[in-house]
Amino acid sequence: MATSTIPIWRDTERCYRAVTARDQRFDGQFIMAVRTTGIYCRPSCPALTPKAQNVRFYPTSAAAQAGGFRACRRCLPDAVPGSPDWNVRADLAARAMRLISDGLVEREGVPGLARQLGYSERQLGRVLTAELGAGPIRLARAHRAHSARLLIEMSQLQLTDVAFAAGFSSIRQFNETIREVFATTPSQLRAASLRRGNRSEPTGATRLSLRLPFRAPFDAAGVLNYHASRALPGIEAVSDDGYGRTLRLPHGPGSVWVSPRAGYVQCDLALSDLRDLSSAVSRVRRLSDLDADPEAVSRVLSADSALAPLVAATPGIRVPGAVDGPEVLLRALLGEDVADVVELGEPVPPADPPMDALTTLFPSPSAIAEADVKPLVKEVAAAIVAGELDLHVGRDADELRAEMLAAGVDSGTADYVVMRLLSAPDVLLTGDPAVRRGAAELGIDLATSARDWQPWSSYASRYLSSRTA
């Protein structure tokens, strides 16, 4: 699905077939808007399928809102996995969407978004409107509305506090946006949520419990095993059916515990500042690659007769992402010495079980730059502190890789960081010993086979390395 050269939302016939079939695989990949009702929905909405002549398709909910449509309260079109296009595509629009999802516009405004991407505000607005049907302000507004709905329904915060935690600049703006997007008031949204009884009992103003959707199949055991094999005590913790870690977020520290369930991932968050909700959710989704399109991956990789048995044996394999750019690079460079720097991390506020084992943030680049570590690690950490090496999800993969190489990072580590930080789906880790062993056991020539695995080489790397794990 995500490999098509034409954006799926422009293929109206294909979109309408997905809507008619109520195909959940397409949720998050496009938005359906119905002219006769003024409502926009996810493709799998259980309501009566509208006539084809009454339907329009949009790439984002922000574009549908700009077209005068409001969100369906039955199917909740914002509560779906994100589009896999934002990872497959490496263009400006895709990189902007990753930063908007991380809450950058709420923190730094559109000027900050443009600055991170290296474009003028006018250029950025023109590209996003052409590609996504809405400019950065409308895209951020839709993002704020989604965050506000989560806080309204999943917390006991006063609605005035919800408004500012979600990034709105005023109560009036908050009320108007909720009415325009959901055709109801914030207080009515909360009352409806209480009637449904779908809110967990809160344990404090900083605790939230969310359900994160994904596209099936989902190799939850593989993700948990991956993180468990690398877990650092205090920073991470693992149980039989869950994984937790601390988070360095824009407004303060936080902790998360994720537990896979049937059809969703249970996500329990402890945040020191609720303004970090959207950023935390975005990072947790990347951590487990929840926006992946496993059927598209399987379709390409299963065509390789050598890989096909691995794909069939482990459907829905994921490429675990990263919650922090400097951390994933510095951990890779430290290697086995990483345990020696854990004590340099700052403490996090205590949380209730199972997050009580999460006590420490991964050390900051400035702390590592001053520590007794390998010279290269010190130099790279110092470059991060000085702003010479900028690791964030909005980076262009080639530019970031070149920056790391210039800082002395080897090519294999640079590829690994690009894959995990940017959720880049087409990175073949040819220097990884586990990948090379897996390929050798299967008689695969990495140099020639890689062409047939595009654009899912990162997933091929996971299959090959998991074979020898």
Side-chain angles (χ1 to χ4, degrees):
M1 286 181 284
T3 59
S4 174
T5 56
I6 301 174
I8 187 170
W9 66 277
R10 295 188 185 277
D11 188 343
T12 56
E13 183 178 345
R14 187 180 181 201
C15 287
Y16 191 71
R17 287 200 305 270
V19 168
T20 302
R22 294 185 173 88
D23 195 331
Q24 295 182 357
R25 295 174 301 169
F26 290 87
D27 287 351
Q29 301 204 37
F30 65 87
I31 291 291
M32 172 189 70
V34 186
R35 293 188 181 96
T36 51
T37 63
I39 292 173
Y40 69 86
C41 304
R42 63 168 78 183
S44 67
C45 183
L48 186 67
T49 302
K51 295 179 179 179
Q53 62 265 31
N54 294 329
V55 168
R56 293 185 63 184
F57 299 108
Y58 292 96
T60 61
S61 58
Q65 292 166 24
F69 297 92
R70 66 170 177 83
C72 174
R73 294 203 296 270
R74 184 173 181 182
C75 73
L76 298 176
D78 58 349
V80 296
S83 172
D85 277 355
W86 309 145
N87 294 335
V88 176
R89 291 167 52 171
D91 59 12
L92 175 61
R95 292 187 287 123
M97 282 299 295
R98 290 200 292 265
L99 287 173
I100 290 170
S101 296
D102 197 55
L104 183 68
V105 175
E106 281 71 32
R107 298 191 298 272
E108 301 182 23
V110 176
L113 177 65
R115 184 170 57 253
Q116 290 274 36
L117 295 168
Y119 283 75
S120 70
E121 292 180 53
R122 176 177 292 184
Q123 287 175 304
L124 178 62
R126 186 167 58 247
V127 170
L128 294 185
T129 300
E131 291 288 325
L132 306 177
I137 292 177
R138 282 194 175 275
L139 290 165
R141 177 178 177 269
H143 181 255
R144 282 195 293 272
H146 173 49
S147 297
R149 185 184 66 78
L150 288 177
L151 288 170
I152 289 169
E153 296 185 344
M154 306 302 294
S155 79
Q156 287 189 327
L157 282 179
Q158 295 292 322
L159 293 178
T160 53
D161 294 329
V162 168
F164 295 111
F168 291 95
S169 59
S170 69
I171 301 299
R172 178 180 178 181
Q173 184 190 64
F174 167 64
N175 288 329
E176 289 178 349
T177 298
I178 296 300
R179 277 196 297 267
E180 290 175 14
V181 174
F182 300 110
T184 188
T185 65
S187 58
Q188 288 170 335
L189 265 182
R190 174 156 286 176
S193 173
L194 291 172
R195 286 195 300 271
R196 290 193 299 270
N198 63 351
R199 221 161 29 130
S200 60
E201 288 297 321
T203 57
T206 62
R207 293 291 301 271
L208 290 170
S209 185
L210 310 174
R211 292 185 175 191
L212 304 183
F214 55 78
R215 294 180 182 85
F218 174 50
D219 177 29
V223 172
L224 288 177
N225 290 339
Y226 183 92
H227 291 306
S229 67
R230 295 158 173 78
L232 296 174
I235 295 171
E236 297 166 286
V238 182
S239 69
D240 290 341
D241 68 342
Y243 164 79
R245 64 154 298 139
T246 55
L247 301 170
R248 185 182 297 277
L249 298 167
H251 297 102
S255 300
V256 63
W257 190 272
V258 292
S259 306
R261 300 285 185 260
Y264 65 93
V265 170
Q266 182 72 28
C267 172
D268 296 307
L269 288 167
L271 303 175
S272 58
D273 192 319
L274 280 170
R275 289 178 295 174
D276 286 326
L277 171 63
S278 60
S279 181
V281 171
S282 175
R283 296 175 192 210
V284 172
R285 294 194 65 81
R286 290 198 300 272
L287 190 67
S288 297
D289 196 16
L290 296 183
D291 294 330
D293 184 352
E295 294 210 2
V297 174
S298 175
R299 187 164 52 249
V300 170
L301 299 188
S302 294
D304 186 313
S305 59
L307 276 184
L310 300 183
V311 177
T314 310
I317 203 167
R318 294 304 204 261
V319 177
V323 297
D324 183 83
E327 176 186 326
V328 70
L329 174 56
L330 293 172
R331 282 181 72 155
L333 293 176
L334 283 162
E336 295 181 356
D337 296 335
V338 67
D340 297 336
V341 304
V342 169
E343 62 184 21
L344 301 176
E346 307 102 296
V348 300
D352 296 331
M355 288 186 277
D356 54 338
L358 303 173
T359 60
T360 311
L361 289 173
F362 186 81
S364 66
S366 57
I368 292 179
E370 298 173 0
D372 183 17
V373 293
K374 292 180 286 190
L376 175 60
V377 178
K378 290 177 71 74
E379 293 169 9
V380 170
I384 295 172
V385 173
E388 298 167 1
L389 186 53
D390 196 9
L391 296 130
H392 63 73
V393 295
R395 293 300 307 272
D396 174 82
D398 292 337
E399 291 178 1
L400 177 58
R401 190 177 190 277
E403 262 185 31
M404 287 189 284
L405 294 177
V409 177
D410 65 275
S411 60
T413 300
D415 286 341
Y416 169 80
V417 172
V418 165
M419 182 184 76
R420 292 200 60 196
L421 176 60
L422 304 185
S423 298
D426 199 27
V427 178
L428 184 61
L429 301 180
T430 54
D432 186 324
V435 172
R436 297 179 70 86
R437 286 196 301 271
E441 289 181 12
L442 294 172
I444 291 175
D445 182 344
L446 292 176
T448 57
S449 295
R451 291 190 296 271
D452 297 327
W453 297 339
Q454 295 175 344
W456 309 115
S457 300
S458 299
Y459 295 86
S461 294
R462 285 282 292 132
Y463 276 115
L464 292 172
S465 61
S466 64
R467 177 180 172 81
T468 59

